[in-house]
Amino acid sequence: MKKSITIPFILQSILTPEEVQSVAKETDYEDKARKFTVTHLLQYWCVAALEQWDSYRSGVDHAAHSGLLAVHYSCFSTKAAEVPFAIFKELLHRVIHKCSRETRRKLAFPKELLLIDSTTMTVGKTRLPWAPYHGERAGIKLHVALRAQNGQPLQVVETLGSKHDGPMSEALTQPDYILVMDRAYGKLERLDDFKIQGQSFVIRLRNNVHLEKPHALSRLKPSDSTILRDITCQLGTPQCRSKRRHRVVMFRDFEGRIIRVVTDLMQVTAEQIAQMYKARWQIEVFFRWIKQHLNIPTLFGTTENAVYGQLFCALIVYVLLKWLFDAAQGTWPQHAILSFARFSRLFLLQNLPVEWLIQIQHVLFKRVSASIN
């Protein structure tokens, strides 16, 4: 691979050092360092994620090989603990905005799907005493809203691992999207609120939620349909019941299990509702990819800034790689057709097919030219 196609180079084509410093100032952080700046720390964190460094100490040993400024590992760790993680959170969302590639495909549903879920990273209690989780474990959590059409996160919120998922859905609401969520988000009051606010949703119901006064919807059922029931009803018991009637669709999943989902959507078929919920599997694949290909489970530091800074930079790497993969797609010969997982591995090994290298160079050149103009 040509030396220029590296994570630091790609970063600079999206975020200039001047923009990074501007974000730092907006966060009221004064970067007094001359040698190891916030920009250098951003590069270190991103390369650490891609190359799966084990620690601060082992990381600086790889720095020169990765084209990074050589510093002592104590400089890396001190800077990581000092720089507010809010800077990297803002940089992540700027990268997301800049790399958001609008799909030209016709939507199969009334609105685009936004998949919401969380992932938790746990360590020993003594490592993160400020983040107690369960028993002898400490943990932090990232709540992610993922666009189903391009597999890119739209928004990310950090919390302690003990924070319940349900309330976080309110911070991730997006009226322009259909929210697709699992059982942890299905509080009855929240469903009523979503309906009042005009927030479309498809949410799995807990198995013990009672269906009150069900009324079957008339429909033509395809012969191969997995739909078992399509009704409107109130949800819950007299002690805790939804004030509004909601549509509930019951169907069998890939493993034959019965799934019940609640939705406000009335102008689509029950089969489409089932397809929307099944699309939620994409966010599970996203979390699995993140944990397998980036070193999110290996936390270097013990402070909030170090921990969250590392995680937000790991997500920046994902966004950049996914953007490159999507933007460089072409009509390849059979030997050059790649999945995203294989593309990522070959990028790390500097062994991408020449067709991809040429196209990536073209994509980055266009990005740099657009930023200059």
Side-chain angles (χ1 to χ4, degrees):
M1 180 186 295
K2 295 183 180 180
K3 187 176 180 180
S4 59
I5 306 180
T6 62
I7 281 296
F9 177 78
I10 297 168
L11 267 173
Q12 289 186 26
S13 71
I14 303 296
L15 294 170
T16 64
E18 292 75 20
E19 186 172 2
V20 174
Q21 290 298 323
S22 174
V23 171
K25 289 181 180 178
E26 291 172 6
T27 317
D28 296 327
Y29 175 75
E30 185 178 357
D31 192 4
K32 298 179 180 179
R34 294 183 179 180
K35 185 176 182 181
F36 196 69
T37 65
V38 174
T39 300
H40 292 123
L41 178 60
L42 171 66
Q43 294 173 348
Y44 259 67
W45 273 141
C46 289
V47 175
L50 181 64
E51 297 184 359
Q52 300 184 353
W53 294 354
D54 294 326
S55 63
Y56 293 123
R57 187 187 294 267
S58 69
V60 297
D61 294 336
H62 292 87
H65 174 72
S66 303
L68 299 175
L69 175 73
V71 297
H72 193 269
Y73 77 89
S74 63
C75 184
F76 182 14
S77 62
T78 300
K79 193 76 172 181
E82 171 190 307
V83 176
F85 72 83
I87 293 174
F88 301 111
K89 182 177 181 178
E90 173 61 22
L91 291 174
L92 167 64
H93 286 102
R94 290 196 180 201
V95 170
I96 289 172
H97 176 73
K98 292 183 179 186
C99 294
S100 178
R101 182 169 179 258
E102 296 299 330
T103 178
R104 291 181 173 84
R105 292 180 298 170
K106 184 178 179 181
L107 290 176
F109 308 121
K111 298 178 183 178
E112 187 179 341
L113 305 183
L114 191 64
L115 317 175
I116 294 179
D117 208 341
S118 68
T119 186
T120 304
M121 281 66 69
T122 62
V123 295
K125 184 171 63 175
T126 56
R127 284 274 292 162
L128 305 179
W130 49 271
Y133 185 48
H134 288 308
E136 295 301 309
R137 305 296 290 172
I140 53 93
K141 187 180 290 189
L142 293 179
H143 305 263
V144 179
L146 189 79
R147 293 179 61 184
Q149 283 204 269
N150 63 4
Q152 289 277 29
L154 182 69
Q155 190 176 358
V156 181
V157 178
E158 79 290 342
T159 68
L160 299 181
S162 56
K163 180 73 173 181
H164 195 273
D165 287 349
M168 295 310 303
S169 64
E170 296 163 16
L172 297 171
T173 56
Q174 295 283 347
D176 293 335
Y177 294 81
I178 300 171
L179 304 185
V180 182
M181 299 180 281
D182 209 357
R183 289 173 287 196
Y185 301 91
K187 187 177 180 181
L188 301 186
E189 293 179 4
R190 189 172 298 116
L191 301 180
D192 284 341
D193 290 341
F194 280 166
K195 203 162 186 179
I196 292 171
Q197 297 162 6
Q199 173 64 70
S200 297
F201 59 88
V202 175
I203 303 176
R204 184 175 178 180
L205 283 176
R206 296 182 185 275
N207 294 332
N208 61 355
V209 174
H210 175 67
L211 309 181
E212 178 69 13
K213 299 179 180 178
H215 173 72
L217 296 175
S218 58
R219 57 187 298 271
L220 293 175
K221 183 177 179 179
S223 58
D224 59 347
S225 176
T226 60
I227 304 301
L228 303 176
R229 203 174 182 191
D230 185 10
I231 62 173
T232 63
C233 62
Q234 286 182 281
L235 302 170
T237 62
Q239 292 76 24
C240 181
R241 178 172 294 165
S242 64
K243 296 180 181 179
R244 293 173 173 263
R245 294 181 68 86
H246 296 276
R247 183 182 185 182
V248 174
V249 174
M250 300 174 60
F251 61 93
R252 292 191 183 276
D253 68 3
F254 304 110
E255 299 178 354
R257 297 172 301 184
I258 296 178
I259 305 294
R260 304 189 306 171
V261 296
V262 57
T263 181
D264 68 313
L265 301 171
M266 300 299 294
Q267 304 303 316
V268 296
T269 66
E271 285 76 17
Q272 286 178 305
I273 299 295
Q275 289 175 6
M276 291 180 194
Y277 181 76
K278 290 174 182 178
R280 202 194 69 82
W281 179 246
Q282 291 181 45
I283 199 167
E284 302 290 352
V285 174
F286 165 77
F287 287 140
R288 181 185 301 171
W289 189 95
I290 288 290
K291 291 183 176 181
Q292 287 179 346
H293 293 83
L294 305 178
N295 67 336
I296 273 189
T298 305
L299 301 178
F300 289 8
T302 59
T303 67
E304 287 185 84
N305 286 334
V307 170
Y308 289 128
Q310 178 184 351
L311 297 182
F312 281 121
C313 288
L315 291 175
I316 287 174
V317 173
Y318 170 85
V319 173
L320 290 176
L321 289 179
K322 189 66 167 62
W323 166 68
L324 270 185
F325 176 75
D326 289 340
Q329 288 280 14
T331 305
W332 309 116
Q334 188 65 33
H335 75 275
I337 297 176
L338 301 175
S339 65
F340 177 55
R342 181 156 177 76
F343 168 84
S344 305
R345 288 194 295 271
L346 293 179
F347 181 93
L348 173 61
L349 297 172
Q350 302 185 357
N351 198 28
L352 282 170
V354 65
E355 295 90 346
W356 281 89
L357 293 177
I358 294 171
Q359 192 64 17
I360 288 173
Q361 290 279 16
H362 178 65
V363 169
L364 294 176
F365 177 77
K366 286 178 59 178
R367 168 60 64 179
V368 173
S369 300
S371 63
I372 293 175
N373 298 331

